[in-house]
Amino acid sequence: MKKLYIDFDGVILDTIKVTYEMIEKLGLGTPEEVKEFYYNLDWNHLIKQTPEINDSINCIRKIMNSNLFDVKVLTHIISYNEGLGKIEYLKSKIPELEVILVPKQINKADMVNPKDAILVDDFLGNLDLWHDKGGISVKFSDGNKKSKYRTVTKLDQIIDLFK
Ligand SMILES: [Mg+2]
């Protein structure tokens, strides 16, 4: 079984788009204001109003049922509340899914061993570090943007890529 790590923000839930809209509505401009916003964000509230990306939860169930992968979620967090919100949400959807919370200051590739493991992520910076440490990087994209890594637009495409 191949190890498969799945990012949360921008892959499972569209939290990035929703928080950008909140920031715009609030008229926040400076990096300090934005940082403060994310630090104080109520993630339970955010998650309730954030749509899933391309049926992500069902796709993860499908991937787990294929028995081809050892699946875990690998997600950066900046606050305790963010970690709690993500864990509670995922446990309510897929209780058996493991979640690894990574403090924002730590690279994902330093938190777990990337060697021969797959990372699906929408952020190129994470994928580059992962690739440099011997991992298999897969870009998640909601459009048809070209990437130097193999790209999926829906999570269950992972099954065909690696079976
Ligand atoms: Mg992301």
Side-chain angles (χ1 to χ4, degrees):
M1 259 209 258
K2 254 192 162 19
K3 280 190 187 296
L4 169 62
Y5 295 99
I6 300 174
D7 177 31
F8 186 91
D9 303 288
V11 174
I12 295 175
L13 290 190
D14 214 353
T15 48
I16 299 174
K17 196 169 150 206
V18 173
T19 51
Y20 281 1
E21 285 166 4
M22 289 168 130
I23 287 167
E24 203 159 283
K25 237 185 185 167
L26 290 165
L28 305 179
T30 69
E32 289 75 27
E33 284 172 340
V34 172
K35 206 174 162 189
E36 182 88 1
F37 165 84
Y38 277 108
Y39 195 75
N40 294 315
L41 189 57
D42 177 349
W43 274 79
N44 257 326
H45 175 72
L46 170 67
I47 282 171
K48 279 197 192 97
Q49 51 181 307
T50 301
E52 266 179 42
I53 299 173
N54 293 339
D55 204 23
S56 55
I57 294 294
N58 276 327
C59 285
I60 294 173
R61 287 198 188 103
K62 237 166 116 181
I63 291 169
M64 291 172 86
N65 289 338
S66 77
N67 286 322
L68 292 167
F69 307 94
D70 175 16
V71 186
K72 295 181 172 74
V73 170
L74 187 64
T75 181
H76 271 133
I77 59 161
I78 63 162
S79 70
Y80 179 87
N81 178 271
E82 179 176 354
L84 202 59
K86 286 175 172 175
I87 287 177
E88 281 177 353
Y89 169 75
L90 290 168
K91 289 289 160 195
S92 75
K93 297 288 182 185
I94 313 178
E96 65 275 31
L97 179 60
E98 272 188 55
V99 184
I100 301 171
L101 304 175
V102 187
K104 191 75 187 173
Q105 295 84 349
I106 310 284
N107 295 327
K108 289 185 178 182
D110 290 328
M111 187 75 185
V112 297
N113 183 3
K115 186 91 184 80
D116 299 327
I118 304 160
L119 173 67
V120 185
D121 205 298
D122 62 324
F123 180 56
L124 208 54
N126 289 334
L127 295 172
D128 284 343
L129 290 164
W130 193 264
H131 174 80
D132 289 348
K133 291 202 155 194
I136 302 159
S137 293
V138 175
K139 177 83 165 73
F140 187 89
S141 169
D142 55 0
N144 266 332
K145 280 175 237 154
K146 272 239 175 282
S147 168
K148 59 181 154 175
Y149 301 114
R150 280 181 279 185
T151 301
V152 294
T153 54
K154 193 165 180 275
L155 278 174
D156 59 358
Q157 293 166 353
I158 285 289
I159 299 170
D160 281 334
L161 269 189
F162 292 97
K163 79 178 173 196

